[in-house]
Amino acid sequence: MDGGVGSFGAGRSGSTMDPITFAKQPQTILRVLSWIFSLVVFASIVNEGYVNIGSERLHCVFNKNADACNYGVFVGLVGLLACSFFFLLDYKFSAISSVKDRKKAVMLEIGFSGFWTFLYFVSFCFLANQWSRTTADELPLNQGADAARAAIAFSFFSIITWAGLTVRAVQKYLLGTDMTLFTTEHLDGGAPTQPYPSNSPGGETAETTETYQSPPFTENNAAPTYQVPIY
């Protein structure tokens, strides 16, 4: 990352992000893992989470509880989209010039990551509870059993990764900002003003006049003349 350390753990305003360095960051790794886990939870339930038992009507594999499948799909899909959004935000974070905007972005990440950690915890408990109540008669030939176990397992893994993202966001927030890198105008996203007087032709320059006085103890009187006395 060019430009040194700036506000909230990112580079100086306007600095560029090295893709290799960005990919090696712990936050990026956690973000990619969260994206994969959310995809597994969502795809498992959508593809094999519904079975038909003796009828054309589809039933949720989790104890025939449609709310369980709907909740898992919702958490997985929104988590998938959120990971994509925050991934782009992480990559463009150094380009944000306003310290206030950076702070808002970090606070948004803290709130969402913490909230989604809680929702995945609920998902894991809900799906595991409904799966434990599912009998063998409800799933002939274990239809959808692997998908159900995958949704439960990756809901648990998602708790860990989203909790890690929350911790990383809190650490970024606690870093605060190095105010020496920004002028007051940077706080509002504006360009810094020139702190020195302008030398443009149209600028007004203050003119000072100085009055000079003759040095003290100097006189311009002519030297006195003496006449030789006549005796």
Side-chain angles (χ1 to χ4, degrees):
M1 188 185 304
D2 297 334
V5 178
S7 63
F8 297 100
R12 293 175 184 263
S13 173
S15 62
T16 58
M17 173 69 70
D18 181 19
I20 298 178
T21 304
F22 175 74
K24 293 180 179 179
Q25 292 180 351
Q27 183 171 335
T28 303
I29 297 174
L30 288 173
R31 190 83 66 195
V32 173
L33 290 176
S34 298
W35 188 91
I36 295 174
F37 296 163
S38 296
L39 178 62
V40 172
V41 173
F42 169 74
S44 297
I45 298 177
V46 170
N47 291 335
E48 301 181 28
Y50 296 89
V51 295
N52 53 345
I53 305 173
S55 65
E56 296 182 354
R57 183 178 179 180
L58 296 176
H59 298 277
C60 178
V61 296
F62 295 99
N63 196 29
K64 295 183 179 180
N65 189 342
D67 292 336
C69 287
N70 293 337
Y71 184 83
V73 170
F74 168 76
V75 174
L77 178 60
V78 177
L80 183 68
L81 298 176
C83 285
S84 301
F85 169 76
F86 283 111
F87 183 86
L88 294 177
L89 182 62
D90 291 341
Y91 188 76
K92 297 292 185 181
F93 192 76
S94 298
I96 302 177
S97 60
S98 173
V99 176
K100 290 184 178 180
D101 291 340
R102 288 190 178 191
K103 183 178 180 180
K104 291 178 182 178
V106 174
M107 294 181 65
L108 174 64
E109 183 179 358
I110 293 175
F112 186 89
S113 298
F115 181 61
W116 227 248
T117 301
F118 171 75
L119 290 188
Y120 263 117
F121 175 77
V122 175
S123 175
F124 170 73
C125 295
F126 188 21
L127 296 181
N129 176 266
Q130 293 301 308
W131 179 246
S132 65
R133 297 182 179 184
T134 305
T135 62
D137 296 336
E138 296 176 351
L139 295 177
L141 302 178
N142 284 332
Q143 290 180 340
D146 293 338
R149 296 188 185 98
I152 295 173
F154 283 93
S155 291
F156 176 77
F157 297 152
S158 295
I159 298 174
I160 300 175
T161 56
W162 281 97
L165 288 172
T166 304
V167 172
R168 294 292 300 178
V170 171
Q171 290 176 345
K172 186 190 297 184
Y173 180 82
L174 293 178
L175 286 176
T177 176
D178 184 1
M179 299 304 296
T180 61
L181 300 176
F182 295 87
T183 62
T184 304
E185 289 76 11
H186 272 110
L187 296 176
D188 298 325
T193 57
Q194 182 69 23
Y196 301 103
S198 173
N199 293 326
S200 60
E204 296 182 357
T205 58
E207 295 182 357
T208 59
T209 58
E210 298 182 359
T211 303
Y212 295 95
Q213 297 179 354
S214 300
F217 306 108
T218 59
E219 295 180 359
N220 295 328
N221 297 333
T225 57
Y226 297 93
Q227 295 180 355
V228 179
I230 300 175
Y231 299 98

